[in-house]
Amino acid sequence: MSRKAMLCLIAALACGPAAHAQQAAPAEIKIGHVHAASGAYASISMPVYDGLKLWIDQQNAGGGAMVKPFGKKIPLKLISYDDQSNPGTAATLINQLITQDKVDILVADSGSVLTAVAVPIAREHKMLLFNPTGTGAPFFTKDNPYIALLADPASTIWPKYLAGFLTTDGVKDGLKRLAILYATNDFTTTQANALRGFVKQSGAAIDIVYDQGVPTNTSNYGVLINNIAAAKPDAVVELGYVGNDIAFLRNLQDAGQKFKFLFALYPGVETDEVLKNVGAQAMDHVFTYVTSQAIEYKPNVGMTLDQFREAFEKSYKGQGVEFGFNAIAGYHSGLMIGQALADTDSLQQLDLRRALFAQSGKVTTLDGTFELDDTGAQIGEITPLGQIIADPKGAVRNVVVFPHELAAGKPLYE
Amino acid sequence: MLLHAALSGLVFGFYFTLVGLGLNLVFGVMRIVNLAHGDFLMLGAYSAFWLFGLYHLHPLLSAACVLVVFTLVGLPLYYLVVPRLLAARDSEMLSLILFFGLQQMIEAVTSIAFGTTERSIPGRVLGSGPVRLLGQALPTSWVFSAGVSLAAVALVYVYLYQTRLGMLTRAVMVSREEAVATGIDLHRVCAIAFGLGLGLAGIAGVFAPFMLGSVTPAIGPEINIAAFAVIVVGTLGNPLGTVLGGIVYGVSLMLMQTYLSSWANLLPNLLLIAVLLVRPTGLLGRRVRRA
């Protein structure tokens, strides 16, 4: 073979894959998702869906998302089915997305209950599950590379600062008798377990005087509140979904019962929704988590909190979906999908995983710093302890009270 | 704790009497199962939410409006679907399928119209602070809702036992064929009972935000399960039994929450199974229904 022919062959071989890749670029990237447009989890699922859809619409308005292996922007197609808050339906639809629609990216529904069914199916089909908010501890194991928690910390991390406060400042302030009431689902049961564990590990002089689980569909807390009061706790921690917390806080106000320290989960997660249902007075002085809707991070990817809130409310005004943490989670999930597509070597699932994990610790969005551990659990985004402060006009703000380095105020007890 | 649980259960049970009353009236008169009952209750809740948000209408006035409107809506709805069901060979089974479809439609349309977030009316509208009964503090809104429920039950009894139309209704409940044979206008009696059933569900819905914390378009099926437990325990087709069923349900639920809280959501199913195994006719049985 002549030297010229050899050079031509080498050039052809070198250019071949690129030319092939250009030809093989798909017309669209299919993002498969399930959401709950009705049923018990619709109020935490629809904001995630809307936030994700907003990101996809924005990308498509600019020609699509950059996909590295093809060196160009490719339009995104969202295929999202309504699982009606039914785990069985969600499982069927996840299967359909993988086997029939053959999606490139698989995104779970919001919350641990509906994510739980998707985890084994994604693993079986070797599809990376982009998991917005399913935080249950059992989802994350070292032998399963096909899951990544995107938008909020694993449930084992959530109560870290709450427990930190109770076992240090709280004990000093006389919070020595603790009551825990939780809804029996993966999300809040894991948190209750973690809280107990943190308290026990600390060796602090805290006595758990009430510790009960209730079904997640509990809508009446009158008797439970009376039973908690009978145990004479100094601090009460109530962990539930948004409907649970609304019912709990309303029943507490209706019963005229007060506790020195009261923690509820959702006032800091879906603040607007809880405010509309229970009013500022019932939320005043309630301790809660501080999520990204109350903290202004400086994102190096995507919109700021104010920009996103404006865009969200403009897009979905009057559709009955409140802005809150879950809306941020949906948008943030989109951002991380975009980051993975922009950095992946191919659309193979393990390449997508590598690209997504490569963002760990480098990307900050309006949701905070994205950081994964080796099981795919989110550990970067934090949930400091805050306290809701109501003003006379009926507005509320969530003030960080712990840890000290982030604190913007001191805790106020009833 | 026991006294508080029992008292709360009693109050809660009175409310659930109202929840089950409309369903039982419809079944008792027409022998059809309205699986959309919980969704009409949900619509009552959204009506009250809407009326309060727009006009600050007190729930009591909303309840009166809802009773009238829902009853009137029930009349054409009856003539649209029920006569065909009654003419069918297996009307009970067909009614399950038909009203299940209606239930899905109502939930979907409400989700589109109002969204899926939780909705409620401030508890202070029915009075602030607790009420003390036998030394126990109970929310004013609960006591108020229970009072309205008892008033609604009383009105149903006045209708059934003190009016001519009520007498005709009871005649249909005892034997549809004999009632028709004596010249009773079956469809007129049934249409009014159907409308009243929806109206009662609507009233129960008005007070649902106070008893259940908040409502979403998805509460219907869960309400149906509780309502079924109440009326099966009491006696299917017997409105008086609904009161007893409501009390048994309410007190049992509060005792479960006190002593076995994690299992409280099993209660409706446990009650249904227990009654069907031990006393399939319900606690009051057929004798009272035919009295």
Side-chain angles (χ1 to χ4, degrees), chain A residues 37-39 42-43 46 212-215 217-220 222-224 226-227 243 246-247 250 254-255 273 277 319-320 322, chain B residues 1 4 8 12 107 114-121 123 129-130 139 141-142 209 211-213 218 222 254 257-258 261-262 265:
Chain A
S38 59
S43 62
M46 287 307 291
Q212 292 286 334
V214 292
N217 64 358
T218 299
S219 59
N220 192 296
V223 166
L224 293 161
N226 183 69
N227 296 347
I246 288 169
R250 283 178 62 109
D254 289 347
E273 189 172 355
N277 281 283
Q319 294 186 18
E322 298 291 344
Chain B
M1 285 204 311
H4 189 273
S8 297
F12 206 64
E107 184 181 334
F114 289 96
T116 53
T117 53
E118 312 275 340
R119 308 283 180 184
S120 58
I121 302 169
S141 56
W142 286 25
M211 300 302 288
L212 309 178
E222 215 164 288
M254 295 306 165
Q257 280 199 344
T258 300
S261 62
S262 298
N265 62 337

Side-chain angles (χ1 to χ4, degrees), chain B residues 84-210:
Chain B
R84 288 180 181 83
L85 281 176
L86 294 181
R89 189 178 297 171
D90 191 355
S91 57
E92 283 181 33
M93 180 53 73
L94 280 178
S95 68
L96 282 173
I97 298 165
L98 191 143
F99 285 108
F100 175 71
L102 185 63
Q103 181 262 318
Q104 295 284 305
M105 276 175 52
I106 293 172
E107 184 181 334
V109 170
T110 313
S111 295
I112 292 166
F114 289 96
T116 53
T117 53
E118 312 275 340
R119 308 283 180 184
S120 58
I121 302 169
R124 65 174 187 282
V125 174
L126 295 182
S128 55
V131 173
R132 294 203 82 81
L133 287 175
L134 301 175
Q136 303 297 312
L138 296 174
T140 305
S141 56
W142 286 25
V143 177
F144 195 101
S145 303
V148 171
S149 300
L150 288 178
V153 171
L155 284 176
V156 169
Y157 269 82
V158 168
Y159 166 74
L160 284 177
Y161 289 96
Q162 302 294 326
T163 66
R164 179 176 156 70
L165 196 58
M167 187 179 70
L168 300 180
T169 306
R170 283 186 291 131
V172 174
M173 289 168 82
V174 172
S175 170
R176 192 190 304 169
E177 291 75 19
E178 287 177 24
V180 172
T182 56
I184 293 174
D185 184 345
L186 178 72
H187 289 309
R188 180 168 162 266
V189 169
C190 288
I192 291 169
F194 188 80
L196 276 177
L198 298 198
L200 290 167
I203 296 177
V206 169
F207 295 94
F210 305 101

Side-chain angles (χ1 to χ4, degrees), chain A residues 14-30:
Chain A
C15 296
H20 176 74
Q22 289 291 345
Q23 281 177 350
E28 59 197 11
I29 299 291
K30 287 191 272 190

